[in-house]
Amino acid sequence: MLPNAHDLRSFVEISKAENLSRAAERLGTSQPALTQAVKRLETSMGQSLLVRSKSGVKLTRAGQRLVRESRELLAKWEQLVSETARDENEIRGRYTLGIHPSVALYTLDHFLPELLQAYSELQIDLVHDLSRKITESVISFQVDFGIVVNPAQHPDLVILELFKDEVRFFTSKKKTPMNDPQSNEKVLILEPSLNQAQDVYNKSQKKGLNFKRSLSSSNLEVIARLTSNGAGLGILPSRVAKKEDPTLMPLENSPVFKDSICLVYRHDFLKSEAARTMTKWIAERLKGMK
Amino acid sequence: MLPNAHDLRSFVEISKAENLSRAAERLGTSQPALTQAVKRLETSMGQSLLVRSKSGVKLTRAGQRLVRESRELLAKWEQLVSETARDENEIRGRYTLGIHPSVALYTLDHFLPELLQAYSELQIDLVHDLSRKITESVISFQVDFGIVVNPAQHPDLVILELFKDEVRFFTSKKKTPMNDPQSNEKVLILEPSLNQAQDVYNKSQKKGLNFKRSLSSSNLEVIARLTSNGAGLGILPSRVAKKEDPTLMPLENSPVFKDSICLVYRHDFLKSEAARTMTKWIAERLKGMK
DNA sequence: TTGGAAGCATAAATACCTGTTATGATAAGT
DNA sequence: ACTTATCATAACAGGTATTTATGCTTCCAA
């Protein structure tokens, strides 16, 4: 049987007064109420806590122990309430941000270091995955908020567009048989699990751009690097391409997939001051970023 | 208002099930009961803990935190209950033994080292004072039990005689003017706060033994040592005298005060297994000790 | 020795809180 | 569109805690 915090409090007071009647006064209750509170505690502890006498009460060994521990227990109990309240009202706590690694590479620099510096009690865990998975994680409470590409709408989700990007073919200045659109030896380089890349590829096929060979990687930076080296025609978001190699050039007539990079979070996320601050901070720094 | 332990436990279960109805089954209660329990928690925490949906419930950040803290809190309580129960049923715990330092010197050897060795989870704090004070301490719960001399009766007190002793005059083999009963220069050596010594002294006066000089010390071993060196006639318990110097001799015709060395404890002390073991152990080893 | 005071225990009544049952509302799945 | 699953709500029943009044015992003082 579990005790109740009220009874513990009473017991601590009783231990100070060593007198039920006086303790009752101090607690603003009646003496029989304390008699019964002690009885409840004694049942739940399975042993007697007080030795009653005509000159008041004395604690047994078990009673003394209970008092000692009760202080701790009550402190913990109160902390339970006050700490969570603190988390709501102050900019502190541990939050999880989901973000695609490639997006991370060119966005985090713009806000994260300063944010952590500004609020020293803030702790952030990054989680990397495909935007689609991140969005799911936000919806299902696995991560607190995310920076994702083209999130699907969902009733629980708040979506805030930060900036746009384009996924298209890129090629390097250095001409090779592998990156010559006319060549038969040309190589397609893409990240196959990226829907945008698939879409661009499909559209390019309809435009008559057919590849005999392809090279895939799950890492966009690797794709950019290979493209830069003339290993083929890479399908890349502009920002990833430019970040890796500013001389990379968009392919003429390449089909384009419009990307929208968004901040997403659940409707109920903004309850804490920290959450409001972080979303505002991120929006201010990334919105309309070039 | 602090939340109630029962509700906390329910909430932990809810957090596992993420579904009120199923959690209710597992807890053997009804779903509306949980709805209300969560409401109570939310009011006492001042913020929402669950996000309700048709596919169950999800914890908010505050909810997740509450679960974490609740687990700790509940564990702490259960530990408290089980530890105190253990203290009652096993030979362990911390106990305070009151004993006059001089009595300690010739009794502890006979039981304490072995006792500590036999029960490694037993912890003993020794408190030294006059027997009278020790007895008071036992009555008023300051110490758990005591080995005292001539305890006064008290309704709460159990008194178990261990052995007897005699307080009387001692003198050394070496004859000096200070310890010659006939001499005018003889010196009385005693511990003034020891009632027995006072009594012996008073009786000796009636017998015509008058001292012009006296030497007092609050330490019986010091008195024994001085007596042994021929510094005077010392009033000592036999055992203290013999222990310090086996050649010390009782003075012929000295008045005698009969000491009874007893084990004392409160009636309610024997509730724990450790207490029963210790009292039995001490009685066995010290009873009838010579 | 007796009467009063101080202390805790007990009992009955009341007030409060909690859980139950029945039902509603709503979203998701078929 | 119908069914099912889920949580919310309301009214009622039951239990638990508190209060008030009283009893019992011990201590102390007259």
Side-chain angles (χ1 to χ4, degrees):
Chain A
M1 189 65 78
L2 290 171
N4 112 11
H6 192 229
D7 287 351
L8 286 184
R9 276 237 198 89
S10 303
F11 193 71
V12 171
E13 193 56 48
I14 290 171
S15 80
K16 284 191 281 191
E18 298 204 325
N19 176 317
L20 293 193
S21 311
R22 238 171 300 156
E25 281 177 39
R26 301 206 51 194
L27 289 165
T29 181
S30 66
Q31 168 261 311
L34 292 189
T35 294
Q36 294 182 181
V38 173
K39 258 188 196 159
R40 281 195 294 276
L41 285 176
E42 286 181 330
T43 352
S44 78
M45 301 281 299
Q47 52 195 281
S48 70
L49 301 171
L50 295 181
V51 178
R52 284 86 166 160
S53 80
K54 295 302 145 186
S55 54
V57 293
K58 291 274 192 173
L59 304 202
T60 63
R61 285 179 58 83
Q64 289 168 21
R65 177 164 202 157
L66 179 63
V67 167
R68 249 185 289 128
E69 306 280 332
S70 288
R71 291 175 204 276
E72 237 181 284
L73 213 59
L74 286 173
K76 202 152 190 55
W77 216 310
E78 272 154 28
Q79 193 186 340
L80 197 109
V81 176
S82 66
E83 281 277 302
T84 48
R86 240 187 110 196
D87 271 13
E88 295 300 294
N89 303 318
E90 296 173 29
I91 297 159
R92 65 190 296 277
R94 184 174 210 123
Y95 290 81
T96 306
L97 170 64
I99 183 168
H100 186 284
S102 298
V103 178
L105 280 172
Y106 66 87
T107 54
L108 293 186
D109 285 351
H110 294 84
F111 69 91
L112 196 53
E114 284 176 77
L115 182 67
L116 291 175
Q117 199 177 348
Y119 302 105
S120 59
E121 286 194 279
L122 208 54
Q123 215 165 336
I124 293 188
D125 298 315
L126 293 176
V127 166
H128 302 301
D129 207 333
L130 291 175
S131 282
R132 194 170 355 113
K133 300 259 187 181
I134 301 269
T135 308
E136 283 166 19
S137 297
V138 171
I139 293 168
S140 64
F141 292 83
Q142 325 256 186
V143 310
D144 294 310
F145 58 134
I147 296 178
V148 298
V149 181
N150 303 326
Q153 299 233 347
H154 185 280
D156 292 349
L157 213 58
V158 177
I159 299 175
L160 199 77
E161 188 180 89
L162 296 171
F163 53 85
K164 291 184 178 300
D165 199 356
E166 295 177 350
V167 177
R168 66 194 314 160
F169 275 100
F170 278 86
T171 182
S172 86
K173 278 195 166 167
K174 177 168 61 176
K175 296 294 172 194
T176 69
M178 284 94 82
N179 66 17
D180 178 0
Q182 316 302 336
S183 159
N184 249 351
E185 296 180 34
K186 64 179 181 295
V187 175
L188 164 69
I189 316 180
L190 52 48
E191 140 74 301
S193 53
L194 202 68
N195 287 340
Q196 297 94 311
Q198 289 289 353
D199 187 83
V200 168
Y201 172 58
N202 292 339
K203 285 184 190 153
S204 72
Q205 278 190 306
K206 289 184 187 157
K207 284 199 176 180
L209 197 64
N210 286 302
F211 291 85
K212 293 226 172 61
R213 298 194 291 176
S214 76
L215 177 58
S216 78
S217 161
S218 63
N219 183 305
L220 292 178
E221 283 65 45
V222 171
I223 292 174
R225 173 62 46 90
L226 292 167
T227 307
S228 168
N229 289 340
L233 294 164
I235 303 180
L236 286 166
S238 299
R239 286 166 209 264
V240 175
K242 296 295 183 195
K243 168 107 185 174
E244 188 65 25
D245 175 1
T247 69
L248 279 179
M249 289 160 29
L251 191 67
E252 301 259 323
N253 280 330
S254 158
V256 168
F257 190 103
K258 296 277 184 186
D259 263 355
S260 169
I261 289 85
C262 303
L263 179 62
V264 295
Y265 48 86
R266 294 183 49 90
H267 273 117
D268 47 71
F269 175 57
L270 289 192
K271 278 184 311 190
S272 75
E273 188 57 36
R276 285 190 291 274
T277 304
M278 286 189 292
T279 53
K280 194 176 153 202
W281 184 290
I282 292 173
E284 274 173 8
R285 275 151 232 248
L286 295 188
K287 203 152 190 178
M289 193 184 87
K290 285 180 203 147
Chain B
M1 188 65 78
L2 290 177
N4 125 357
H6 190 232
D7 288 350
L8 288 182
R9 194 182 264 173
S10 302
F11 192 72
V12 171
E13 193 56 48
I14 290 171
S15 80
K16 286 190 281 191
E18 295 204 327
N19 176 316
L20 294 192
S21 312
R22 239 172 299 155
E25 280 178 38
R26 301 206 51 194
L27 288 164
T29 182
S30 66
Q31 168 262 311
L34 293 190
T35 294
Q36 295 177 167
V38 173
K39 253 189 198 159
R40 280 194 295 275
L41 286 176
E42 286 181 330
T43 347
S44 73
M45 303 283 298
Q47 51 196 283
S48 71
L49 302 171
L50 298 179
V51 178
R52 285 86 167 162
S53 81
K54 294 302 147 185
S55 53
V57 293
K58 291 272 193 175
L59 303 203
T60 62
R61 282 180 58 82
Q64 289 166 23
R65 174 158 207 161
L66 180 65
V67 168
R68 252 185 286 129
E69 307 274 337
S70 295
R71 284 221 171 90
E72 255 181 79
L73 188 72
L74 294 174
K76 196 153 188 55
W77 172 258
E78 271 155 30
Q79 191 192 336
L80 172 62
V81 173
S82 68
E83 283 275 304
T84 46
R86 249 185 103 198
D87 272 11
E88 295 299 294
N89 304 319
E90 296 174 29
I91 297 159
R92 65 191 296 278
R94 183 174 209 125
Y95 289 82
T96 307
L97 170 64
I99 183 167
H100 186 282
S102 298
V103 179
L105 280 172
Y106 65 85
T107 55
L108 294 186
D109 285 351
H110 294 85
F111 70 91
L112 195 54
E114 284 174 78
L115 182 67
L116 292 175
Q117 197 177 349
Y119 304 106
S120 59
E121 287 193 278
L122 207 54
Q123 214 165 336
I124 293 190
D125 297 315
L126 293 176
V127 166
H128 302 301
D129 207 332
L130 292 175
S131 283
R132 195 169 357 113
K133 301 257 188 182
I134 301 270
T135 308
E136 282 166 22
S137 298
V138 171
I139 292 168
S140 65
F141 292 84
Q142 326 254 189
V143 310
D144 294 310
F145 58 136
I147 296 178
V148 297
V149 182
N150 303 327
Q153 300 232 346
H154 185 282
D156 292 351
L157 212 58
V158 177
I159 299 175
L160 201 77
E161 188 181 89
L162 296 171
F163 54 86
K164 291 184 179 301
D165 200 356
E166 295 176 348
V167 177
R168 65 194 316 162
F169 275 99
F170 278 85
T171 182
S172 86
K173 279 194 165 168
K174 177 168 59 173
K175 295 297 169 192
T176 70
M178 285 94 80
N179 67 17
D180 177 358
Q182 316 303 333
S183 160
N184 249 349
E185 294 179 38
K186 64 181 180 294
V187 174
L188 166 69
I189 316 179
L190 50 48
E191 139 75 298
S193 53
L194 202 69
N195 287 341
Q196 297 94 311
Q198 289 289 352
D199 188 82
V200 168
Y201 172 59
N202 292 339
K203 285 183 189 156
S204 72
Q205 278 191 307
K206 289 181 188 162
K207 283 198 177 184
L209 198 62
N210 286 302
F211 290 84
K212 293 226 173 63
R213 297 195 291 175
S214 74
L215 176 58
S216 76
S217 160
S218 62
N219 184 302
L220 292 179
E221 283 65 44
V222 171
I223 292 175
R225 173 62 47 91
L226 291 168
T227 307
S228 169
N229 290 338
L233 295 164
I235 304 181
L236 286 165
S238 298
R239 286 164 209 265
V240 175
K242 297 295 181 195
K243 168 109 186 170
E244 189 65 26
D245 175 1
T247 70
L248 280 180
M249 290 160 28
L251 190 66
E252 301 259 320
N253 279 330
S254 159
V256 168
F257 191 102
K258 296 276 182 186
D259 264 356
S260 168
I261 289 86
C262 303
L263 179 63
V264 295
Y265 48 85
R266 292 182 51 89
H267 273 116
D268 47 71
F269 175 57
L270 290 191
K271 279 185 308 191
S272 74
E273 188 58 35
R276 285 191 290 275
T277 303
M278 285 189 294
T279 53
K280 194 177 153 201
W281 184 290
I282 291 173
E284 274 173 6
R285 277 156 230 247
L286 295 188
K287 204 153 190 178
M289 192 183 88
K290 285 181 203 148

